[in-house]
Amino acid sequence: MDELSVTQLVSLKETMEKAHKEARYTEVLDILSRLRSWSPSADSLRQTKLGISLTGLKKSPHESIKQESMQIVRTWKDAVKPKGGSAAKTATPAAASTPGESAASPEAAKTGTPAATVKEEAAPAKSARTSVPVSTVRKKSETPMKVLTGPRSLKTDGIELPELDERQRDNVVKLFYDALASDSAAPADMIATRVMDVEEAVYKFYEGDTSGDYRQKTRSLLLNFKDKKNPALREAVVSGELSASKLASMKASDFSSEERKAEDRKLAEQNMFAAQSAAPAAGQAKTDAFKCGKCGKRECTYYQMQTRSADEPMTTFVCCIVCNNRWKFS
């Protein structure tokens, strides 16, 4: 198909989304047919967000639209994937080593050193950046880690994470790494493996849709990973005690530390007491049966309320008329 401007592509995308919403599936298939022959670039996909729109069609009730959109997304990923980038850089030192080997042959002949030994002593080529096997995430695996005065991060660990198919997902795994590594003593490749697993689990949990729920979930995870009062959560994630699939389905309240949960319970009880103590005066009775522990007077009002299960005694709320001191008992 002819080259289209970003404006035309955005218009085409909006037309397709509207047609799909109104169940005009023939029109959607016509637009997908045009997009199949389009040669995308990373910039055009980023500006138009066509990839996100087509990913959303995976949930279409129309089987042909579902299959066609998935095929186009796969084709586009292959089209914008860097070709010969890191690999070419990796291959260059290796290719350049051939003359070095030839030059080393006479020296090997003089010293009696086998040619294979000379080849092994050559500096290793920098490995290409690959997908999820992160066993080679370190740039220099033999370089000892420096003594740090601040928190660990991707930069201080000197590693690179595998690139994913969307910039947003790449940013998520980097932020996850910095949060989990900040106070961890675990090896960098272990942390890298965990963050890749967690992001992938969240991505699959929301069926590849990186908008809305995915963003909210990753933000919630990041905030909890960065919580300085919850080191136990970070340790559980890095060690694998808390699985990636479970993290993807957990609610925000489940991430709180035991200390935070106890504080929340205490605060809830205080709020309930304050609310119940503010009951209308019409429902309260005046009595001298209770002595105020603050002023020592016996001028109080009180009322009773069932705050626990039915087989438990009622809770009595008392307020001193003189000094406004409040207390309860059951």
Side-chain angles (χ1 to χ4, degrees):
M1 87 184 253
D2 297 333
E3 288 292 329
L4 296 174
S5 66
V6 172
T7 303
Q8 291 172 315
L9 288 168
V10 170
S11 176
L12 198 62
K13 182 193 75 167
E14 292 174 349
T15 302
M16 177 184 67
E17 291 175 346
K18 183 177 179 182
H20 186 265
K21 187 176 181 179
E22 297 174 356
R24 291 184 277 117
Y25 298 135
T26 303
E27 186 175 345
V28 176
L29 287 170
D30 289 340
I31 296 175
L32 289 176
S33 179
R34 295 180 63 190
L35 291 175
R36 174 180 278 278
S37 60
W38 174 56
S39 299
S41 66
D43 288 337
S44 60
L45 285 176
R46 190 176 301 114
Q47 294 177 36
T48 61
K49 301 188 183 299
L50 270 169
I52 296 175
S53 181
L54 263 64
T55 300
L57 292 180
K58 292 195 301 183
K59 302 177 183 179
S60 174
H62 195 285
E63 188 63 28
S64 297
I65 292 177
K66 185 188 301 184
Q67 297 298 329
E68 183 74 5
S69 62
M70 292 174 66
Q71 180 59 41
I72 292 174
V73 170
R74 284 194 292 266
T75 303
W76 287 356
K77 285 181 181 179
D78 293 338
V80 300
K81 187 181 297 183
K83 297 180 179 179
S86 301
K89 293 179 182 178
T90 304
T92 303
S97 65
T98 304
E101 290 174 17
S102 300
S105 297
E107 183 181 349
K110 291 178 183 179
T111 60
T113 304
T117 305
V118 176
K119 183 176 180 180
E120 290 173 0
E121 291 176 355
K126 186 178 179 180
S127 60
R129 199 171 179 182
T130 59
S131 57
V132 172
V134 288
S135 57
T136 57
V137 290
R138 281 193 178 276
K139 291 181 178 178
K140 296 180 180 181
S141 58
E142 296 180 0
T143 303
M145 291 182 64
K146 298 178 181 179
V147 177
L148 302 177
T149 57
R152 286 175 61 187
S153 65
L154 273 173
K155 185 176 180 180
T156 60
D157 284 355
I159 70 167
E160 295 181 0
L161 294 173
E163 290 183 353
L164 302 174
D165 54 359
E166 293 183 39
R167 177 179 292 183
Q168 181 179 353
R169 297 183 65 195
D170 289 333
N171 290 336
V172 166
V173 294
K174 290 174 183 177
L175 291 170
F176 280 0
Y177 186 97
D178 288 348
L180 292 177
S182 61
D183 58 355
S184 176
D189 56 349
M190 176 186 289
I191 301 175
T193 301
R194 296 290 183 263
V195 298
M196 296 297 294
D197 289 346
V198 171
E199 190 284 331
E200 185 178 7
V202 176
Y203 181 73
K204 289 181 178 179
F205 187 80
Y206 294 108
E207 300 179 347
D209 184 1
T210 55
S211 61
D213 292 337
Y214 172 90
R215 291 184 181 181
Q216 185 176 354
K217 181 65 176 182
T218 51
R219 286 172 183 169
S220 174
L221 286 172
L222 182 60
L223 287 173
N224 283 284
F225 290 165
K226 294 171 70 174
D227 186 358
K228 294 181 179 180
K229 294 183 179 180
N230 200 358
L233 174 63
R234 291 189 290 276
E235 184 179 349
V237 176
V238 173
S239 66
E241 179 183 346
L242 195 55
S243 68
S245 58
K246 186 175 181 180
L247 278 168
S249 59
M250 286 173 65
K251 297 179 181 179
S253 58
D254 297 334
F255 293 106
S256 300
S257 63
E258 292 303 320
E259 180 183 354
R260 180 61 180 271
K261 290 178 181 177
E263 290 177 357
D264 290 344
R265 286 194 296 269
K266 184 177 179 181
L267 181 61
E269 290 177 358
Q270 291 174 347
N271 290 338
M272 184 180 70
F273 177 69
Q276 292 170 342
S277 297
Q284 300 183 22
K286 188 175 180 180
T287 182
D288 59 359
F290 307 112
K291 183 179 180 180
C292 177
K294 185 176 181 181
C295 68
K297 302 294 183 180
R298 287 184 174 272
E299 299 180 37
C300 304
T301 59
Y302 77 98
Y303 68 96
Q304 293 182 315
M305 183 177 293
Q306 190 70 48
T307 59
R308 294 179 290 178
S309 58
D311 59 341
E312 296 288 337
M314 297 181 70
T315 302
T316 302
F317 296 87
V318 186
C319 177
C320 176
I321 298 175
V322 178
C323 66
N324 204 36
N325 181 35
R326 300 173 186 272
W327 69 96
K328 66 176 180 176
F329 64 91
S330 57

